[in-house]
Amino acid sequence: MAAMALASCPSSPIEMTRFLLCFALAFSPCLFLSESAGLCSTAATGIGSSPTPLSWRILAQSSSSSKTFMDGGKGSELREAFKVFDAGFFSEAKVLKVAEEAVEFNLPIAESNRKSVALENGGLQNPSCLVFNSVWGSSHGGGAVEKNAVVKRFKYPSLSGVKRPENDEDVAFMEILELGELLRTKQVTSHEITTIFLHRLKRYNGALESVITITEDLAYEQAKKADELLAKGDYLGPLHGIPYGLKDIIAVPGYKTTWGSTSFKNQILDMEATVYQRLRAAGAVLVAKLVSGSLAYDDIWFGGRTRNPWNIEEFSTGSSAGPASSTSAGMVPFAIGSETAGSITYPAARCGVTAFRPTFGTVARTGVMSISESLDKLGPFCRSARDCSIVLDAIRGKDSNDISSRDVPLHDPFSVDITKLTVGYLDDAEMEVVDVLKSKGVKMVPYKLNYTVDSVQGILNFTMDVDMLAHFDKWQRDGLDDTYEAQDQWPTELRRARVIPAVDYLQAQRARGKLIREVKEGFTVDAFIGNVTDWEKVCLGNLVGLPVMVVPTGFKNITDPPPAGTRRRSTVTTGIYAPPDGDHIALALAMVYQLVTDHHKQRPPIDNLGPDDIIPDPAKHIIPPRILRL
């Protein structure tokens, strides 16, 4: 259809302007109805955008007579172009009438709204008043959120007899509770631990390209404060004095927040992200701003491309590339990443890291670059599921500046009785996980996701791309997409998003509501095990708001190994999915599995690849595609 429209494109400037009007008509008033399983919280209208005012004025002046325009045959050209929007059913007379009225009515509204809310990129200001709510109610997960609910903190297990390892390599791969016990018992200081991780960040970043900014001065300042508090007997909890990293879409005052993009590589935001505030309050020490793929899309950023520590010839995939790669390599004990559509699950699986994507709304996103306000989530990359539970406990909770955030009254994952759970497993589940959980008393049953909506991946793309374009409208209008690091990624998707009609965006949200209701009705288990990087499941989980635990389950040989052998491996992972607000269930199941296995404790072969094992440069081009299975 697009080819038919372009084939009839007129050649003169004025005729071209007339012709392009049809594309402007896609940028009509756009609705987002937060309908999820009947849980509609707010509905309102918002206006999209339009072509430049000058082109519209030329059009209005040059087509003052519909009859003249019709006589010139331009009505048929516009009608052909309307087919791009699946609106070819209009007659020529109706097309011309739409064109005239769009100039008169649509343009002034679009211009006014754009000037009001779209002059800054990134979605940090003027959030939408339309709120997606993933709550299912008391029959699933953690139960419905009660008004003025009290958020109870988890009760962490206590450790004793932890001794400081003789070498720093072993310190770097200790879990949070182990490092915390070393600090609490004064076997090491936060300053010493911080120095270990700063050295590793500097040592391995050249190979992995996983770090954007090392926050050394801030790290030592925060470590000093942590040590002073400990000296006075003030212990803030398990994150006290523990170093960590943030994905570089998270704002920290005084440091660049580049969003991984050439367009913003010198940007400093004078704001503190809520997640940073909460980690600082817990006593954690920020040592680095870690790579975000450019504008949070895949692993390519303005400084290069992040690699997988387990197989350094591969890239890490996913925009939380820096948090995954750096945690895997022992450059930080834990890191905070984000996911809109696979940016936690993909890099965690590729780099063999335990990671957690929580229920939508569990962690506030204030001060974080936005792709889609109904899809974006923050979550931890850690050494273990136990560490993920500790970090989640520190960063969860409502923030008044993020109206999607909630005080989710999660049950304590450390006190879940797993023998009372029924857990399903899909055909693509890693059976070792199934067998281990079954041996620990979990009732394991075959399970299948049943739903009739056949456009899951398309719903995700429509939602994500249109929302992203609303947050980067000015960026595209200024032509900055021409300098984007990977032209087949956001530039292509966001140009296509310009011609998604408002009505079709809204239909996608209605289909999303139907999907949520169907998944809820078919969720007959407490959790299920399945592949964590299958694109259909990635889309479904994010659209519905399901939490998922990424669990390393082993390794396999790489393809095309060198003749003399190599220690490089391909990681094997699975996902533990729970219903919304059932985060504690996924965390508890993963902790039980990791008590029996040691896959999560293995270390990538960054320093010892094998005899004659040469790392190809550039690395192999491996990107999981966004495939639409409609």
Side-chain angles (χ1 to χ4, degrees), residues 20-30 46-52 56 85 106-107 110 114 469 473 476-477 494-502:
L20 291 177
L21 170 62
C22 65
F23 292 93
L25 299 177
F27 317 147
S28 53
C30 184
I47 306 301
S49 51
S50 64
T52 62
W56 281 88
F85 315 118
N106 294 13
L107 173 62
R114 194 164 59 248
L469 183 55
D473 188 19
Q476 189 185 70
R477 289 175 182 279
L494 297 188
R495 290 164 193 157
R496 187 172 65 241
R498 280 284 174 192
V499 294
I500 296 175

PDB file of all heavy atoms in Angstrom, residues 20-30 46-52 56 85 106-107 110 114 469 473 476-477 494-502:
ATOM      1  N   LEU A  20       1.678  15.014   1.159  1.00  0.00           N
ATOM      2  CA  LEU A  20       2.143  14.595   2.475  1.00  0.00           C
ATOM      3  C   LEU A  20       1.138  14.864   3.584  1.00  0.00           C
ATOM      4  O   LEU A  20       1.310  14.395   4.699  1.00  0.00           O
ATOM      5  CB  LEU A  20       3.472  15.305   2.806  1.00  0.00           C
ATOM      6  CG  LEU A  20       4.660  14.856   1.968  1.00  0.00           C
ATOM      7  CD1 LEU A  20       5.882  15.669   2.335  1.00  0.00           C
ATOM      8  CD2 LEU A  20       4.940  13.374   2.182  1.00  0.00           C
ATOM      9  N   LEU A  21       0.090  15.601   3.260  1.00  0.00           N
ATOM     10  CA  LEU A  21      -0.925  15.850   4.260  1.00  0.00           C
ATOM     11  C   LEU A  21      -1.467  14.547   4.842  1.00  0.00           C
ATOM     12  O   LEU A  21      -1.762  14.447   6.033  1.00  0.00           O
ATOM     13  CB  LEU A  21      -2.079  16.657   3.653  1.00  0.00           C
ATOM     14  CG  LEU A  21      -3.337  16.800   4.537  1.00  0.00           C
ATOM     15  CD1 LEU A  21      -2.968  17.539   5.812  1.00  0.00           C
ATOM     16  CD2 LEU A  21      -4.427  17.518   3.789  1.00  0.00           C
ATOM     17  N   CYS A  22      -1.583  13.575   4.000  1.00  0.00           N
ATOM     18  CA  CYS A  22      -2.158  12.317   4.461  1.00  0.00           C
ATOM     19  C   CYS A  22      -1.360  11.731   5.614  1.00  0.00           C
ATOM     20  O   CYS A  22      -1.916  11.145   6.537  1.00  0.00           O
ATOM     21  CB  CYS A  22      -2.228  11.303   3.324  1.00  0.00           C
ATOM     22  SG  CYS A  22      -0.622  10.801   2.710  1.00  0.00           S
ATOM     23  N   PHE A  23      -0.051  11.915   5.586  1.00  0.00           N
ATOM     24  CA  PHE A  23       0.760  11.378   6.661  1.00  0.00           C
ATOM     25  C   PHE A  23       0.511  12.137   7.955  1.00  0.00           C
ATOM     26  O   PHE A  23       0.583  11.575   9.045  1.00  0.00           O
ATOM     27  CB  PHE A  23       2.244  11.422   6.290  1.00  0.00           C
ATOM     28  CG  PHE A  23       2.587  10.479   5.183  1.00  0.00           C
ATOM     29  CD1 PHE A  23       2.591  10.917   3.860  1.00  0.00           C
ATOM     30  CD2 PHE A  23       2.876   9.151   5.455  1.00  0.00           C
ATOM     31  CE1 PHE A  23       2.888  10.031   2.837  1.00  0.00           C
ATOM     32  CE2 PHE A  23       3.167   8.273   4.429  1.00  0.00           C
ATOM     33  CZ  PHE A  23       3.171   8.708   3.122  1.00  0.00           C
ATOM     34  N   ALA A  24       0.204  13.435   7.817  1.00  0.00           N
ATOM     35  CA  ALA A  24      -0.071  14.219   9.013  1.00  0.00           C
ATOM     36  C   ALA A  24      -1.323  13.746   9.712  1.00  0.00           C
ATOM     37  O   ALA A  24      -1.481  13.894  10.920  1.00  0.00           O
ATOM     38  CB  ALA A  24      -0.208  15.692   8.643  1.00  0.00           C
ATOM     39  N   LEU A  25      -2.252  13.214   8.936  1.00  0.00           N
ATOM     40  CA  LEU A  25      -3.529  12.833   9.515  1.00  0.00           C
ATOM     41  C   LEU A  25      -3.388  11.684  10.508  1.00  0.00           C
ATOM     42  O   LEU A  25      -4.291  11.428  11.294  1.00  0.00           O
ATOM     43  CB  LEU A  25      -4.510  12.454   8.398  1.00  0.00           C
ATOM     44  CG  LEU A  25      -4.808  13.601   7.420  1.00  0.00           C
ATOM     45  CD1 LEU A  25      -5.727  13.108   6.325  1.00  0.00           C
ATOM     46  CD2 LEU A  25      -5.424  14.785   8.135  1.00  0.00           C
ATOM     47  N   ALA A  26      -2.264  10.983  10.462  1.00  0.00           N
ATOM     48  CA  ALA A  26      -2.041   9.918  11.446  1.00  0.00           C
ATOM     49  C   ALA A  26      -1.812  10.496  12.826  1.00  0.00           C
ATOM     50  O   ALA A  26      -1.975   9.808  13.824  1.00  0.00           O
ATOM     51  CB  ALA A  26      -0.847   9.067  11.045  1.00  0.00           C
ATOM     52  N   PHE A  27      -1.404  11.758  12.879  1.00  0.00           N
ATOM     53  CA  PHE A  27      -1.032  12.329  14.167  1.00  0.00           C
ATOM     54  C   PHE A  27      -2.240  13.038  14.776  1.00  0.00           C
ATOM     55  O   PHE A  27      -2.203  14.195  15.130  1.00  0.00           O
ATOM     56  CB  PHE A  27       0.125  13.309  14.002  1.00  0.00           C
ATOM     57  CG  PHE A  27       1.201  12.817  13.074  1.00  0.00           C
ATOM     58  CD1 PHE A  27       1.911  13.688  12.281  1.00  0.00           C
ATOM     59  CD2 PHE A  27       1.499  11.474  13.007  1.00  0.00           C
ATOM     60  CE1 PHE A  27       2.894  13.228  11.430  1.00  0.00           C
ATOM     61  CE2 PHE A  27       2.479  11.011  12.162  1.00  0.00           C
ATOM     62  CZ  PHE A  27       3.172  11.887  11.370  1.00  0.00           C
ATOM     63  N   SER A  28      -3.320  12.330  14.823  1.00  0.00           N
ATOM     64  CA  SER A  28      -4.561  12.868  15.339  1.00  0.00           C
ATOM     65  C   SER A  28      -4.653  12.590  16.830  1.00  0.00           C
ATOM     66  O   SER A  28      -3.810  11.911  17.378  1.00  0.00           O
ATOM     67  CB  SER A  28      -5.721  12.222  14.589  1.00  0.00           C
ATOM     68  OG  SER A  28      -5.607  10.827  14.647  1.00  0.00           O
ATOM     69  N   PRO A  29      -5.684  13.116  17.500  1.00  0.00           N
ATOM     70  CA  PRO A  29      -5.792  12.891  18.947  1.00  0.00           C
ATOM     71  C   PRO A  29      -5.659  11.416  19.296  1.00  0.00           C
ATOM     72  O   PRO A  29      -6.247  10.557  18.662  1.00  0.00           O
ATOM     73  CB  PRO A  29      -7.184  13.430  19.285  1.00  0.00           C
ATOM     74  CG  PRO A  29      -7.406  14.498  18.262  1.00  0.00           C
ATOM     75  CD  PRO A  29      -6.761  13.971  17.004  1.00  0.00           C
ATOM     76  N   CYS A  30      -4.872  11.159  20.341  1.00  0.00           N
ATOM     77  CA  CYS A  30      -4.544   9.778  20.710  1.00  0.00           C
ATOM     78  C   CYS A  30      -4.967   9.489  22.142  1.00  0.00           C
ATOM     79  O   CYS A  30      -4.716  10.285  23.028  1.00  0.00           O
ATOM     80  CB  CYS A  30      -3.043   9.568  20.552  1.00  0.00           C
ATOM     81  SG  CYS A  30      -2.512   7.896  20.862  1.00  0.00           S
ATOM     82  N   GLY A  46      -5.085  12.757  24.777  1.00  0.00           N
ATOM     83  CA  GLY A  46      -3.868  13.530  24.600  1.00  0.00           C
ATOM     84  C   GLY A  46      -3.659  13.692  23.125  1.00  0.00           C
ATOM     85  O   GLY A  46      -4.167  12.931  22.315  1.00  0.00           O
ATOM     86  N   ILE A  47      -2.921  14.673  22.730  1.00  0.00           N
ATOM     87  CA  ILE A  47      -2.756  14.959  21.316  1.00  0.00           C
ATOM     88  C   ILE A  47      -1.374  14.561  20.868  1.00  0.00           C
ATOM     89  O   ILE A  47      -0.394  14.787  21.553  1.00  0.00           O
ATOM     90  CB  ILE A  47      -2.964  16.459  21.045  1.00  0.00           C
ATOM     91  CG1 ILE A  47      -4.315  16.895  21.617  1.00  0.00           C
ATOM     92  CG2 ILE A  47      -2.898  16.761  19.571  1.00  0.00           C
ATOM     93  CD1 ILE A  47      -5.483  16.155  21.061  1.00  0.00           C
ATOM     94  N   GLY A  48      -1.313  13.983  19.697  1.00  0.00           N
ATOM     95  CA  GLY A  48      -0.026  13.626  19.124  1.00  0.00           C
ATOM     96  C   GLY A  48       0.623  14.827  18.471  1.00  0.00           C
ATOM     97  O   GLY A  48       0.559  15.931  18.964  1.00  0.00           O
ATOM     98  N   SER A  49       1.193  14.643  17.289  1.00  0.00           N
ATOM     99  CA  SER A  49       1.957  15.707  16.665  1.00  0.00           C
ATOM    100  C   SER A  49       1.618  15.787  15.202  1.00  0.00           C
ATOM    101  O   SER A  49       0.896  14.975  14.666  1.00  0.00           O
ATOM    102  CB  SER A  49       3.449  15.425  16.854  1.00  0.00           C
ATOM    103  OG  SER A  49       3.733  14.117  16.432  1.00  0.00           O
ATOM    104  N   SER A  50       2.175  16.789  14.525  1.00  0.00           N
ATOM    105  CA  SER A  50       1.807  17.044  13.145  1.00  0.00           C
ATOM    106  C   SER A  50       3.014  17.499  12.370  1.00  0.00           C
ATOM    107  O   SER A  50       4.054  17.784  12.943  1.00  0.00           O
ATOM    108  CB  SER A  50       0.746  18.145  13.110  1.00  0.00           C
ATOM    109  OG  SER A  50       1.301  19.348  13.598  1.00  0.00           O
ATOM    110  N   PRO A  51       2.929  17.598  11.037  1.00  0.00           N
ATOM    111  CA  PRO A  51       4.024  18.142  10.265  1.00  0.00           C
ATOM    112  C   PRO A  51       4.277  19.596  10.623  1.00  0.00           C
ATOM    113  O   PRO A  51       3.538  20.202  11.388  1.00  0.00           O
ATOM    114  CB  PRO A  51       3.542  18.004   8.812  1.00  0.00           C
ATOM    115  CG  PRO A  51       2.502  16.954   8.866  1.00  0.00           C
ATOM    116  CD  PRO A  51       1.851  17.094  10.196  1.00  0.00           C
ATOM    117  N   THR A  52       5.303  20.182  10.045  1.00  0.00           N
ATOM    118  CA  THR A  52       5.673  21.547  10.384  1.00  0.00           C
ATOM    119  C   THR A  52       4.557  22.510  10.031  1.00  0.00           C
ATOM    120  O   THR A  52       3.856  22.334   9.038  1.00  0.00           O
ATOM    121  CB  THR A  52       6.939  21.972   9.630  1.00  0.00           C
ATOM    122  OG1 THR A  52       6.642  21.918   8.231  1.00  0.00           O
ATOM    123  CG2 THR A  52       8.089  21.049   9.928  1.00  0.00           C
ATOM    124  N   TRP A  56       1.759  23.015   6.526  1.00  0.00           N
ATOM    125  CA  TRP A  56       0.301  23.049   6.648  1.00  0.00           C
ATOM    126  C   TRP A  56      -0.259  24.354   6.068  1.00  0.00           C
ATOM    127  O   TRP A  56      -1.294  24.379   5.426  1.00  0.00           O
ATOM    128  CB  TRP A  56      -0.102  22.933   8.112  1.00  0.00           C
ATOM    129  CG  TRP A  56      -0.041  21.545   8.621  1.00  0.00           C
ATOM    130  CD1 TRP A  56       1.028  20.913   9.171  1.00  0.00           C
ATOM    131  CD2 TRP A  56      -1.099  20.592   8.644  1.00  0.00           C
ATOM    132  NE1 TRP A  56       0.704  19.647   9.545  1.00  0.00           N
ATOM    133  CE2 TRP A  56      -0.600  19.412   9.237  1.00  0.00           C
ATOM    134  CE3 TRP A  56      -2.432  20.614   8.224  1.00  0.00           C
ATOM    135  CZ2 TRP A  56      -1.361  18.283   9.419  1.00  0.00           C
ATOM    136  CZ3 TRP A  56      -3.202  19.487   8.414  1.00  0.00           C
ATOM    137  CH2 TRP A  56      -2.659  18.337   8.996  1.00  0.00           C
ATOM    138  N   PHE A  85      -2.700   4.141   6.201  1.00  0.00           N
ATOM    139  CA  PHE A  85      -3.331   4.120   7.509  1.00  0.00           C
ATOM    140  C   PHE A  85      -4.546   3.199   7.537  1.00  0.00           C
ATOM    141  O   PHE A  85      -5.370   3.294   8.446  1.00  0.00           O
ATOM    142  CB  PHE A  85      -3.760   5.542   7.907  1.00  0.00           C
ATOM    143  CG  PHE A  85      -2.711   6.572   7.641  1.00  0.00           C
ATOM    144  CD1 PHE A  85      -2.944   7.600   6.750  1.00  0.00           C
ATOM    145  CD2 PHE A  85      -1.475   6.486   8.250  1.00  0.00           C
ATOM    146  CE1 PHE A  85      -1.967   8.541   6.493  1.00  0.00           C
ATOM    147  CE2 PHE A  85      -0.498   7.424   7.999  1.00  0.00           C
ATOM    148  CZ  PHE A  85      -0.730   8.454   7.116  1.00  0.00           C
ATOM    149  N   ASN A 106      -7.109  20.245  13.698  1.00  0.00           N
ATOM    150  CA  ASN A 106      -6.102  19.389  14.338  1.00  0.00           C
ATOM    151  C   ASN A 106      -4.798  20.096  14.621  1.00  0.00           C
ATOM    152  O   ASN A 106      -4.210  19.957  15.694  1.00  0.00           O
ATOM    153  CB  ASN A 106      -5.816  18.156  13.466  1.00  0.00           C
ATOM    154  CG  ASN A 106      -7.013  17.240  13.345  1.00  0.00           C
ATOM    155  OD1 ASN A 106      -8.126  17.607  13.693  1.00  0.00           O
ATOM    156  ND2 ASN A 106      -6.772  16.044  12.829  1.00  0.00           N
ATOM    157  N   LEU A 107      -4.321  20.846  13.630  1.00  0.00           N
ATOM    158  CA  LEU A 107      -2.994  21.443  13.749  1.00  0.00           C
ATOM    159  C   LEU A 107      -2.853  22.372  14.944  1.00  0.00           C
ATOM    160  O   LEU A 107      -1.893  22.245  15.700  1.00  0.00           O
ATOM    161  CB  LEU A 107      -2.639  22.190  12.456  1.00  0.00           C
ATOM    162  CG  LEU A 107      -1.333  23.000  12.527  1.00  0.00           C
ATOM    163  CD1 LEU A 107      -0.156  22.082  12.779  1.00  0.00           C
ATOM    164  CD2 LEU A 107      -1.126  23.782  11.236  1.00  0.00           C
ATOM    165  N   ALA A 110      -2.538  20.285  18.134  1.00  0.00           N
ATOM    166  CA  ALA A 110      -1.275  19.533  18.193  1.00  0.00           C
ATOM    167  C   ALA A 110      -0.108  20.449  18.505  1.00  0.00           C
ATOM    168  O   ALA A 110       0.749  20.132  19.336  1.00  0.00           O
ATOM    169  CB  ALA A 110      -1.051  18.802  16.876  1.00  0.00           C
ATOM    170  N   ARG A 114       2.176  20.272  21.919  1.00  0.00           N
ATOM    171  CA  ARG A 114       3.596  19.992  21.768  1.00  0.00           C
ATOM    172  C   ARG A 114       4.441  21.049  22.465  1.00  0.00           C
ATOM    173  O   ARG A 114       5.429  20.742  23.133  1.00  0.00           O
ATOM    174  CB  ARG A 114       3.940  19.891  20.286  1.00  0.00           C
ATOM    175  CG  ARG A 114       5.313  19.277  20.022  1.00  0.00           C
ATOM    176  CD  ARG A 114       5.457  18.829  18.579  1.00  0.00           C
ATOM    177  NE  ARG A 114       5.283  19.912  17.638  1.00  0.00           N
ATOM    178  CZ  ARG A 114       4.269  20.023  16.790  1.00  0.00           C
ATOM    179  NH1 ARG A 114       3.307  19.118  16.790  1.00  0.00           N
ATOM    180  NH2 ARG A 114       4.186  21.039  15.951  1.00  0.00           N
ATOM    181  N   LEU A 469       8.059   7.594  21.001  1.00  0.00           N
ATOM    182  CA  LEU A 469       8.082   8.761  20.122  1.00  0.00           C
ATOM    183  C   LEU A 469       7.515   9.989  20.834  1.00  0.00           C
ATOM    184  O   LEU A 469       8.000  11.106  20.635  1.00  0.00           O
ATOM    185  CB  LEU A 469       7.295   8.471  18.845  1.00  0.00           C
ATOM    186  CG  LEU A 469       7.291   9.588  17.792  1.00  0.00           C
ATOM    187  CD1 LEU A 469       8.709  10.003  17.413  1.00  0.00           C
ATOM    188  CD2 LEU A 469       6.512   9.157  16.561  1.00  0.00           C
ATOM    189  N   ASP A 473       9.828  13.190  20.738  1.00  0.00           N
ATOM    190  CA  ASP A 473       9.254  13.915  19.607  1.00  0.00           C
ATOM    191  C   ASP A 473      10.224  14.980  19.107  1.00  0.00           C
ATOM    192  O   ASP A 473      10.519  15.081  17.908  1.00  0.00           O
ATOM    193  CB  ASP A 473       7.934  14.551  20.057  1.00  0.00           C
ATOM    194  CG  ASP A 473       7.153  15.180  18.921  1.00  0.00           C
ATOM    195  OD1 ASP A 473       7.425  14.836  17.759  1.00  0.00           O
ATOM    196  OD2 ASP A 473       6.271  16.007  19.190  1.00  0.00           O
ATOM    197  N   GLN A 476      13.373  13.606  17.305  1.00  0.00           N
ATOM    198  CA  GLN A 476      13.147  13.217  15.927  1.00  0.00           C
ATOM    199  C   GLN A 476      12.953  14.438  15.035  1.00  0.00           C
ATOM    200  O   GLN A 476      13.493  14.501  13.922  1.00  0.00           O
ATOM    201  CB  GLN A 476      11.938  12.285  15.828  1.00  0.00           C
ATOM    202  CG  GLN A 476      11.763  11.652  14.456  1.00  0.00           C
ATOM    203  CD  GLN A 476      10.484  10.827  14.374  1.00  0.00           C
ATOM    204  OE1 GLN A 476       9.388  11.381  14.386  1.00  0.00           O
ATOM    205  NE2 GLN A 476      10.633   9.506  14.288  1.00  0.00           N
ATOM    206  N   ARG A 477      12.186  15.408  15.509  1.00  0.00           N
ATOM    207  CA  ARG A 477      11.933  16.609  14.705  1.00  0.00           C
ATOM    208  C   ARG A 477      13.212  17.395  14.429  1.00  0.00           C
ATOM    209  O   ARG A 477      13.354  18.032  13.386  1.00  0.00           O
ATOM    210  CB  ARG A 477      10.919  17.512  15.414  1.00  0.00           C
ATOM    211  CG  ARG A 477       9.522  16.956  15.416  1.00  0.00           C
ATOM    212  CD  ARG A 477       8.574  17.825  16.243  1.00  0.00           C
ATOM    213  NE  ARG A 477       7.242  17.236  16.264  1.00  0.00           N
ATOM    214  CZ  ARG A 477       6.352  17.374  15.278  1.00  0.00           C
ATOM    215  NH1 ARG A 477       6.649  18.079  14.209  1.00  0.00           N
ATOM    216  NH2 ARG A 477       5.185  16.784  15.369  1.00  0.00           N
ATOM    217  N   LEU A 494      10.777   4.435  15.151  1.00  0.00           N
ATOM    218  CA  LEU A 494      10.080   5.667  15.502  1.00  0.00           C
ATOM    219  C   LEU A 494       9.565   6.414  14.269  1.00  0.00           C
ATOM    220  O   LEU A 494       8.560   7.136  14.358  1.00  0.00           O
ATOM    221  CB  LEU A 494      10.991   6.569  16.336  1.00  0.00           C
ATOM    222  CG  LEU A 494      11.415   5.983  17.684  1.00  0.00           C
ATOM    223  CD1 LEU A 494      12.160   7.030  18.512  1.00  0.00           C
ATOM    224  CD2 LEU A 494      10.219   5.451  18.465  1.00  0.00           C
ATOM    225  N   ARG A 495      10.226   6.256  13.132  1.00  0.00           N
ATOM    226  CA  ARG A 495       9.660   6.837  11.903  1.00  0.00           C
ATOM    227  C   ARG A 495       8.372   6.095  11.542  1.00  0.00           C
ATOM    228  O   ARG A 495       7.388   6.713  11.125  1.00  0.00           O
ATOM    229  CB  ARG A 495      10.683   6.752  10.769  1.00  0.00           C
ATOM    230  CG  ARG A 495      11.875   7.690  10.962  1.00  0.00           C
ATOM    231  CD  ARG A 495      13.040   7.334  10.056  1.00  0.00           C
ATOM    232  NE  ARG A 495      14.253   8.045  10.463  1.00  0.00           N
ATOM    233  CZ  ARG A 495      15.490   7.651  10.174  1.00  0.00           C
ATOM    234  NH1 ARG A 495      15.686   6.531   9.470  1.00  0.00           N
ATOM    235  NH2 ARG A 495      16.527   8.348  10.587  1.00  0.00           N
ATOM    236  N   ARG A 496       8.383   4.798  11.706  1.00  0.00           N
ATOM    237  CA  ARG A 496       7.177   4.019  11.440  1.00  0.00           C
ATOM    238  C   ARG A 496       6.067   4.381  12.424  1.00  0.00           C
ATOM    239  O   ARG A 496       4.872   4.383  12.074  1.00  0.00           O
ATOM    240  CB  ARG A 496       7.515   2.526  11.529  1.00  0.00           C
ATOM    241  CG  ARG A 496       6.381   1.606  11.112  1.00  0.00           C
ATOM    242  CD  ARG A 496       6.840   0.157  11.030  1.00  0.00           C
ATOM    243  NE  ARG A 496       7.232  -0.384  12.303  1.00  0.00           N
ATOM    244  CZ  ARG A 496       8.452  -0.841  12.589  1.00  0.00           C
ATOM    245  NH1 ARG A 496       9.414  -0.791  11.678  1.00  0.00           N
ATOM    246  NH2 ARG A 496       8.735  -1.325  13.777  1.00  0.00           N
ATOM    247  N   ALA A 497       6.464   4.701  13.669  1.00  0.00           N
ATOM    248  CA  ALA A 497       5.468   5.054  14.679  1.00  0.00           C
ATOM    249  C   ALA A 497       4.712   6.324  14.321  1.00  0.00           C
ATOM    250  O   ALA A 497       3.576   6.527  14.761  1.00  0.00           O
ATOM    251  CB  ALA A 497       6.145   5.222  16.040  1.00  0.00           C
ATOM    252  N   ARG A 498       5.327   7.196  13.513  1.00  0.00           N
ATOM    253  CA  ARG A 498       4.666   8.436  13.091  1.00  0.00           C
ATOM    254  C   ARG A 498       3.376   8.163  12.316  1.00  0.00           C
ATOM    255  O   ARG A 498       2.497   9.018  12.271  1.00  0.00           O
ATOM    256  CB  ARG A 498       5.601   9.264  12.213  1.00  0.00           C
ATOM    257  CG  ARG A 498       6.634  10.069  12.946  1.00  0.00           C
ATOM    258  CD  ARG A 498       6.046  11.292  13.583  1.00  0.00           C
ATOM    259  NE  ARG A 498       7.039  11.984  14.398  1.00  0.00           N
ATOM    260  CZ  ARG A 498       6.764  12.951  15.250  1.00  0.00           C
ATOM    261  NH1 ARG A 498       5.514  13.335  15.405  1.00  0.00           N
ATOM    262  NH2 ARG A 498       7.714  13.510  15.955  1.00  0.00           N
ATOM    263  N   VAL A 499       3.268   7.023  11.706  1.00  0.00           N
ATOM    264  CA  VAL A 499       2.095   6.758  10.885  1.00  0.00           C
ATOM    265  C   VAL A 499       1.212   5.666  11.489  1.00  0.00           C
ATOM    266  O   VAL A 499       0.509   4.955  10.786  1.00  0.00           O
ATOM    267  CB  VAL A 499       2.485   6.411   9.432  1.00  0.00           C
ATOM    268  CG1 VAL A 499       3.122   7.609   8.763  1.00  0.00           C
ATOM    269  CG2 VAL A 499       3.446   5.208   9.376  1.00  0.00           C
ATOM    270  N   ILE A 500       1.244   5.528  12.821  1.00  0.00           N
ATOM    271  CA  ILE A 500       0.291   4.665  13.516  1.00  0.00           C
ATOM    272  C   ILE A 500      -0.880   5.535  13.934  1.00  0.00           C
ATOM    273  O   ILE A 500      -0.726   6.419  14.779  1.00  0.00           O
ATOM    274  CB  ILE A 500       0.927   4.000  14.749  1.00  0.00           C
ATOM    275  CG1 ILE A 500       2.070   3.064  14.333  1.00  0.00           C
ATOM    276  CG2 ILE A 500      -0.132   3.215  15.533  1.00  0.00           C
ATOM    277  CD1 ILE A 500       2.824   2.456  15.497  1.00  0.00           C
ATOM    278  N   PRO A 501      -2.051   5.347  13.339  1.00  0.00           N
ATOM    279  CA  PRO A 501      -3.203   6.175  13.699  1.00  0.00           C
ATOM    280  C   PRO A 501      -3.582   6.009  15.166  1.00  0.00           C
ATOM    281  O   PRO A 501      -3.416   4.926  15.759  1.00  0.00           O
ATOM    282  CB  PRO A 501      -4.312   5.658  12.787  1.00  0.00           C
ATOM    283  CG  PRO A 501      -3.596   4.999  11.644  1.00  0.00           C
ATOM    284  CD  PRO A 501      -2.360   4.405  12.248  1.00  0.00           C
ATOM    285  N   ALA A 502      -4.113   7.082  15.741  1.00  0.00           N
ATOM    286  CA  ALA A 502      -4.515   7.048  17.145  1.00  0.00           C
ATOM    287  C   ALA A 502      -5.512   5.934  17.412  1.00  0.00           C
ATOM    288  O   ALA A 502      -5.450   5.251  18.440  1.00  0.00           O
ATOM    289  CB  ALA A 502      -5.109   8.404  17.544  1.00  0.00           C
TER     290      ALA A 502
END
